[in-house]
Amino acid sequence: MADAAATAGKLFGREKITDTTVTLFAESANKIPDERFIRTKEVQAAGAVVGEDDEMPLELPVVDMASLVDPDSSASETAKLGSACREWGFFQLTNHGVEEAAMQQMKDSAAEFFRSPLESKNTVAVRDGFQGFGHHFNGGSSEKLDWAECLLLITQPLKDRRMDLWPATNPPTFRHALERYSAEIRNLARRLLGFMATDLGVSPAALLGAFFFAAAGTGTGTENDDKGQSMSMHHYPPWRHPEKVLGIAPHTDTQALTFLLHADDTPGLQVKKDGRWFPVRPLPRGALVVNVGDILDVLTNGDYVSVEHRVVPDAERGRTTVAVFQDACVQGMVTPLPELLLVDGGDAQARYRSVTKLDYLNGSVTALAQGRRFIDSLRK
């Protein structure tokens, strides 16, 4: 993951947030002075947004973890989980078991960090082009900037952490919140992947082994067990003319599995399905938005789909989110699970070429910089 961070830094060159940008984010005038933020043509060309009056359903599928673990309802809820991963690539997860206090501390810490003065936030400003506080990614085929400020950190493995970029005093709870929430999501990922394995018809060890080094059984593992985990915190300031800017441009997640926590109830995430954008309305009571990333798409041989999504700013309210990305590979390769290809008597054909993890990381970063998706080039 450290190698990928270095490559990303060279290709994207995340920029630091300046006083001028802070003033711009707080500005309520009708004109955006920095042309790099204006993306009107991109917003209009991206497709129609499903509205309240449309006949199509507006809500993402909802999966209930309590029903997954209940023997009486596990089979039907596992089928619902599989359907969501195949048809949407996204779902909202309720009753997930993540400690409420850990979630609240993470929400509060992220919100307090983004409320703090720029001078304080820039003590952890981006220094290697990847980790740290600054603008979201830019570069490659587009020099446009997203309407957001971002703190991006590698949380696992420990050797790849840049502790000098972990806020120590702003707020004082931040590092503890990061550690605690990272561990909670790691444990949730283990539980959820076990049910995904059941749905896919493979052993839990096969799927868990792609994400964690200690995959025998369904234990919680250790903090050094992840094959990779990173965390991205975003604040999207409000803007009166959201049709002119993008919080995050359309993309798919290059890692395997994403868990999104809303620090507030401001909408903004939109998921693309059948050529249209579906707004995601955060559920109350601490639901997490979960989505399939590109690597899980490959691992499942295209059975689970990684789909395009974007963020649009709200006209009146700011939005703060915390996303955790779980990484994966099979013995150093990004490849369909061998056990999955043996299902149904070994008749399944691999839909993706296998590549080394390093080649996948470098290819994905290069493709993102060019506005492409690397796994499309792996399709047979």
Side-chain angles (χ1 to χ4, degrees):
M1 185 168 281
D3 291 338
T7 302
K10 292 177 182 178
L11 288 173
F12 288 101
R14 288 183 63 211
E15 297 181 20
K16 293 182 179 179
I17 302 286
T18 64
D19 288 323
T20 301
T21 302
V22 170
T23 301
L24 177 59
F25 282 160
E27 184 60 62
S28 59
N30 292 326
K31 182 180 178 180
I32 302 177
D34 191 334
E35 289 292 327
R36 292 190 301 168
F37 287 104
I38 298 178
R39 309 176 83 154
T40 307
K41 291 183 179 179
E42 291 180 61
V43 175
Q44 293 176 344
V49 178
V50 174
E52 296 287 352
D53 298 330
D54 287 87
E55 295 181 359
M56 299 178 71
L58 293 175
E59 303 299 335
L60 286 183
V62 177
V63 176
D64 180 29
M65 180 63 83
S67 296
L68 284 173
V69 300
D70 185 340
D72 293 333
S73 56
S74 184
S76 60
E77 199 68 17
T78 299
K80 185 188 296 186
L81 168 66
S83 175
C85 292
R86 290 179 179 88
E87 296 178 13
W88 283 85
F90 269 81
F91 57 91
Q92 299 211 52
L93 185 65
T94 59
N95 297 314
H96 42 67
V98 175
E99 192 174 283
E100 186 174 345
M103 292 178 63
Q104 191 60 52
Q105 187 180 47
M106 189 70 255
K107 290 181 184 180
D108 294 343
S109 295
E112 188 173 344
F113 173 80
F114 286 118
R115 282 196 302 265
S116 63
L118 178 63
E119 182 180 5
S120 177
K121 289 184 285 193
N122 270 340
T123 60
V124 292
V126 60
R127 291 169 199 161
D128 61 3
F130 186 74
Q131 295 191 74
F133 170 73
H135 284 286
H136 195 65
F137 297 123
N138 68 290
S141 61
S142 173
E143 293 298 331
K144 294 294 186 178
L145 292 173
D146 291 332
W147 190 256
E149 49 184 340
C150 170
L151 176 62
L152 195 157
L153 300 167
I154 292 175
T155 48
Q156 295 291 337
L158 298 179
K159 65 181 179 62
D160 289 344
R161 288 182 177 181
R162 285 285 305 270
M163 295 307 296
D164 58 319
L165 297 178
W166 284 42
T169 60
N170 176 32
T173 58
F174 212 145
R175 289 190 176 185
H176 178 257
L178 284 170
E179 289 274 14
R180 189 179 183 187
Y181 188 66
S182 168
E184 287 283 335
I185 295 300
R186 178 170 60 249
N187 292 338
L188 173 60
R190 278 184 161 273
R191 298 195 301 272
L192 186 61
L193 286 164
F195 292 105
M196 288 182 172
T198 299
D199 172 69
L200 291 164
V202 299
S203 66
L207 187 57
L208 285 165
F211 286 78
F212 306 99
F213 290 108
T218 57
T220 58
T222 69
E223 64 180 8
N224 293 305
D225 190 28
D226 296 58
K227 293 190 176 179
Q229 185 196 68
S230 58
M231 197 176 297
S232 179
M233 285 146 275
H234 283 84
H235 174 67
Y236 307 93
W239 183 253
R240 292 185 179 181
H241 301 279
E243 73 280 358
K244 295 181 179 181
V245 297
L246 283 169
I248 296 183
H251 67 287
T252 58
D253 293 344
T254 59
Q255 297 93 337
L257 193 61
T258 305
F259 296 86
L260 180 69
L261 171 67
H262 289 88
D264 48 56
D265 60 358
T266 304
L269 175 65
Q270 296 181 351
V271 176
K272 198 167 194 178
K273 187 176 189 297
D274 300 326
R276 306 173 74 186
W277 293 103
F278 286 74
V280 176
R281 293 165 178 78
L283 292 179
R285 300 181 300 279
L288 293 169
V289 176
V290 183
N291 68 278
V292 174
D294 290 350
I295 291 181
L296 186 54
D297 188 320
V298 174
L299 288 174
T300 64
N301 202 30
D303 201 4
Y304 287 2
V305 295
S306 174
V307 302
E308 201 172 28
H309 50 286
R310 68 179 185 179
V311 175
V312 294
D314 190 80
E316 303 294 336
R317 297 179 293 166
R319 177 175 181 259
T320 300
T321 60
V322 180
V324 178
F325 306 95
Q326 292 288 155
D327 210 353
C329 63
V330 178
Q331 296 181 345
M333 303 291 292
V334 175
T335 181
L337 288 171
E339 187 174 317
L340 189 61
L341 301 181
L342 297 177
V343 174
D344 297 327
D347 292 332
Q349 298 295 316
R351 298 170 183 166
Y352 291 101
R353 293 185 295 107
S354 300
V355 295
T356 67
K357 185 62 184 297
L358 183 58
D359 285 345
Y360 172 83
L361 292 170
N362 290 333
S364 292
V365 171
T366 301
L368 278 172
Q370 298 171 350
R372 300 183 293 108
R373 190 169 74 141
F374 181 62
I375 67 168
D376 290 338
S377 68
L378 300 180
R379 292 185 183 276
K380 290 187 174 182

